[in-house]
Amino acid sequence: MVAITAVLGDITEQDVDAVVNAANNQMRGGGGVDGAIHRAGGPAILKDCIARFPNGLPTGDAGWTTAGNMPAQWVIHTVGPNYRAGQKDRALLQSCYKRSLGVADELGAEIVAFPLISAGIYGWPLDDAIDVAISTIAKTPTSVDDAVIVVRDPGILDVVESRLP
């Protein structure tokens, strides 16, 4: 069973096997976590995205690239639902976590850092985003040993920690 923890910090600086990127469908970089990962990892990530995902990825799916200049070895890109644009199907958000763990298993990643997918610029309600993250990671069969939820706000960290199993 995967251990779930939460930390306050920058996902691009985590010393883990893989970081999960809350990407957009085009897989070409963007704002929020996606922009931060592309900036920190450098051009190798975009080059790998173009080669691996010439047509992007559908919402709820995931795939991997190099992590470029980051401490992690891989970036697992997952396309979260855009709540503000009307993508309110909770199953899509759950799929992001399930598919990310599946990709982590394929890579042999033991420690994976997750953001709260879709909770930023895509506007997923924070309370539900936290619940989906924790419950889906906890219930998904995986070989990952540790899932680390990385947040940038101390208040959000307190909420996440209070809900951990």
Side-chain angles (χ1 to χ4, degrees):
M1 187 163 134
V2 64
I4 306 171
T5 57
V7 299
L8 185 66
D10 181 337
I11 197 163
T12 68
E13 297 174 355
Q14 301 302 305
D15 188 13
V16 296
D17 298 318
V19 297
V20 174
N21 179 21
N24 59 50
N25 294 103
Q26 292 78 31
M27 305 292 291
R28 300 297 182 262
V33 171
D34 194 18
I37 285 174
H38 277 266
R39 284 189 300 277
I45 295 176
L46 179 58
K47 182 179 178 183
D48 216 3
C49 279
I50 291 168
R52 291 180 184 278
F53 313 108
N55 301 311
L57 276 176
T59 302
D61 203 357
W64 66 274
T65 65
T66 179
N69 300 325
M70 291 188 294
Q73 186 172 352
W74 302 287
V75 175
I76 298 171
H77 304 267
T78 189
V79 181
N82 188 334
Y83 195 89
R84 289 191 173 112
Q87 294 179 327
K88 299 180 179 184
D89 183 355
R90 200 171 196 255
L92 286 172
L93 185 55
Q94 292 167 328
S95 179
C96 290
Y97 289 97
K98 291 175 187 176
R99 286 288 302 126
S100 293
L101 288 168
V103 171
D105 287 343
E106 292 168 17
L107 294 169
E110 295 176 0
I111 305 171
V112 179
F114 286 88
L116 289 170
I117 299 165
S118 291
I121 59 175
Y122 279 5
W124 200 275
L126 184 60
D127 258 5
D128 195 48
I130 293 168
D131 288 343
V132 169
I134 293 170
S135 65
T136 306
I137 293 169
K139 292 177 184 171
T140 302
T142 182
S143 298
V144 171
D145 293 326
D146 296 302
V148 182
I149 299 172
V150 182
V151 299
R152 296 191 61 101
D153 179 285
I156 294 172
L157 177 65
D158 291 343
V159 174
V160 173
E161 287 181 327
S162 74
R163 296 185 187 175
L164 291 174

